[in-house]
Amino acid sequence: MAWTRAASVAEVKERGVMDADIGGEEIALYWVDEAVYATHNVCTHAFARLSEGFLEGDCIECPIHQAVFNVKTGEVVAPPAYTAVKTYPCRIEGDDVLVDI
Ligand code: FES
């Protein structure tokens, strides 16, 4: 495990949800409740990038079949996905968002 810079705080804040590539690992970053969260970027139902989905509150809706995941816990909130998406610890250091990956 290693803390790695994924984006600037300003970029995540402005975009709300965005993708990041950390050493080949596809990550989605979210700005929720004045904090940053990270999950794996690929939906657990089929192949779709959650960073292209719709963020509402602390939930991300998959753009393909509309499964909903809680971005803080990774848990499924609405099917058709039934498996939680992996989450990663995040922290802010200065202007940088760091993800433990
Ligand atoms: S690919 Fe995400 S719900 Fe089907």
Side-chain angles (χ1 to χ4, degrees), residues 6-17:
S8 72
V9 173
E11 194 175 7
V12 184
K13 239 184 198 180
E14 186 185 316
R15 294 175 65 182
V17 54

Side-chain angles (χ1 to χ4, degrees), residues 1 4 13 19 21 27 33-34 41 47 49 53 61-63 69 76 82 90 93 98:
M1 296 206 294
T4 307
K13 239 184 198 180
D19 66 308
D21 185 303
I27 305 295
D33 298 334
E34 297 304 309
N41 198 15
F47 189 83
R49 288 188 172 86
E61 183 184 87
C62 176
F69 300 89
V76 176
Y82 292 99
C90 295
E93 212 171 88
L98 305 181

Side-chain angles (χ1 to χ4, degrees), residues 43 45-48 62 64-67 80:
C43 182
H45 177 240
F47 189 83
C62 176
I64 304 290
H65 308 110
Q66 289 76 49

Side-chain angles (χ1 to χ4, degrees), residues 6-72:
S8 72
V9 173
E11 194 175 7
V12 184
K13 239 184 198 180
E14 186 185 316
R15 294 175 65 182
V17 54
M18 62 175 281
D19 66 308
D21 185 303
I22 303 178
E25 190 88 355
E26 291 194 50
I27 305 295
L29 299 170
Y30 312 90
W31 187 259
V32 177
D33 298 334
E34 297 304 309
V36 67
Y37 296 89
T39 69
H40 197 262
N41 198 15
V42 179
C43 182
T44 59
H45 177 240
F47 189 83
R49 288 188 172 86
L50 295 176
S51 61
E52 295 169 6
F54 178 66
L55 181 67
E56 185 168 357
D58 57 8
C59 291
I60 186 75
E61 183 184 87
C62 176
I64 304 290
H65 308 110
Q66 289 76 49
V68 179
F69 300 89
N70 183 302
V71 305
K72 296 179 178 176

